[in-house]
């Protein structure tokens, strides 16, 4: 068996982790690190999405009337980056709180937004942008 065989590498790395943990542990609240990472990423997605909408001079109001179909910036990767950022903020609270029960809230938020606002907005976009919307929808994921 080769030393470079992935299971062997994994086993060696596991041993190294346990050696480091027992000799020079550096405690860290990983939940805080994850919470801050998710929170900062989510806020960045929201801010960049608003900047992109502003650049194209179209509405960011959920019930507003869009002037242009924005397909650049964060909208290149997700049709709903602002909602994705909002979901991320809720998930970051789950990490900060260290409570499994708080994960119920982002799941509920996801289903509420999915079944109400996203459906409403997509119906409006298909009416206004027809073929352009169909192409965008086919090439870009709804969430991530």
């Amino acid at each position: 068996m080769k030393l470079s065989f992935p299971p062997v590498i994994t086993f060696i790395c596991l041993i190294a982790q346990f050696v480091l943990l027992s000799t020079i542990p550096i405690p860290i609240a990983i939940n805080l690190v994850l919470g801050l990472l998710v929170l900062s990423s989510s806020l960045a997605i929201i801010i960049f999405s608003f900047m992109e909408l502003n650049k194209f001079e179209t509405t960011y109001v959920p019930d507003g009337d869009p002037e242009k179909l924005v397909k650049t910036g964060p909208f290149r990767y997700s049709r709903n980056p602002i909602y994705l950022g909002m979901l991320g903020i809720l998930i970051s609270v789950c990490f900060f709180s260290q409570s499994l029960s708080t994960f119920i809230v982002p799941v509920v938020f996801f289903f509420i937004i999915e079944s109400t606002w996203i459906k409403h907005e997509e119906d409006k976009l298909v009416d206004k942008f027809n073929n352009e919307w169909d192409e965008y929808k086919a090439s870009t994921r709804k969430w991530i």
Side-chain angles (χ1 to χ4, degrees):
M1 185 177 324
K2 293 181 181 178
L3 182 59
S4 64
F5 190 60
V8 174
I9 295 169
T10 303
F11 183 69
I12 292 169
C13 289
L14 274 171
I15 292 171
Q17 284 180 311
F18 284 112
V19 168
L20 287 170
L21 183 62
S22 63
T23 57
I24 49 172
I26 303 172
I28 185 169
I30 196 70
N31 63 302
L32 293 178
V33 173
L34 289 172
L36 287 172
L37 180 67
V38 172
L39 178 62
S40 60
S41 300
S42 299
L43 290 173
I45 289 169
I46 291 171
I47 290 167
F48 289 134
S49 297
F50 278 121
M51 289 170 58
E52 199 69 15
L53 291 171
N54 191 43
K55 183 170 78 174
F56 284 90
E57 298 177 349
T58 191
T59 187
Y60 53 83
V61 178
D63 205 23
D65 191 28
E67 296 300 318
K68 296 181 180 114
L69 181 61
V70 179
K71 301 182 279 187
T72 58
F75 296 92
R76 186 173 43 196
Y77 306 104
S78 171
R79 296 195 312 260
N80 299 286
I82 296 171
Y83 295 141
L84 180 62
M86 292 173 178
L87 179 66
I89 290 170
L90 295 173
I91 291 171
S92 72
V93 171
C94 300
F95 287 117
F96 291 135
S97 69
Q98 299 184 55
S99 173
L100 192 56
S101 63
T102 60
F103 275 97
I104 295 168
V105 175
V107 171
V108 170
F109 172 84
F110 174 85
F111 286 112
I112 290 171
I113 294 299
E114 178 76 26
S115 63
T116 58
W117 282 104
I118 290 177
K119 178 164 179 6
H120 169 71
E121 290 174 357
E122 288 188 347
D123 289 345
K124 191 181 285 191
L125 291 168
V126 76
D127 288 343
K128 180 137 187 173
F129 300 106
N130 204 345
N131 290 338
E132 186 181 6
W133 167 254
D134 290 338
E135 290 172 17
Y136 177 61
K137 184 178 177 182
S139 65
T140 309
R141 292 175 182 257
K142 187 182 287 191
W143 287 88
I144 52 172

